[in-house]
Amino acid sequence: LDITYTSAEMNWDGATPVDINYVLPTEARVAKVNIYDENGTVVRSLDAPKGAGAHKVTWDGKDNNGNIAPEGTYS
């Protein structure tokens, strides 16, 4: 069973890390948070806590190559 949740947009100001909060009703086998730019391209894929309950993942604004992403709106 795969569950996909698309969150609201978030603003990356180029400096302030962004917190992403989510809740899992039961434990998942795998949990990932994918950050997309305005064009729908994955900029960063993060492993996320997979236990049941509330979780927070913080995006430091870096892409998958370790470069700082441009300021803008991400989802």
Side-chain angles (χ1 to χ4, degrees), residues 6-7 9-10 17 24 32-33 37 41-43 50 57 62:
T6 303
S7 69
E9 294 178 339
M10 56 190 165
L24 293 175
K32 291 217 176 258
V33 171
D37 66 14
T41 303
V42 175
V43 216
K50 56 188 177 180
V57 173
K62 294 181 182 176

Side-chain angles (χ1 to χ4, degrees), residues 31-46:
K32 291 217 176 258
V33 171
N34 292 317
I35 311 234
Y36 296 87
D37 66 14
E38 292 175 340
N39 298 317
T41 303
V42 175
V43 216
R44 182 81 181 263
S45 183
L46 302 165

Side-chain angles (χ1 to χ4, degrees), residues 10 16-22 35 55-60:
M10 56 190 165
T16 309
V18 178
D19 290 335
I20 301 161
N21 298 291
Y22 66 97
I35 311 234
H55 301 284
K56 176 175 77 173
V57 173
T58 301
W59 177 44
D60 59 5

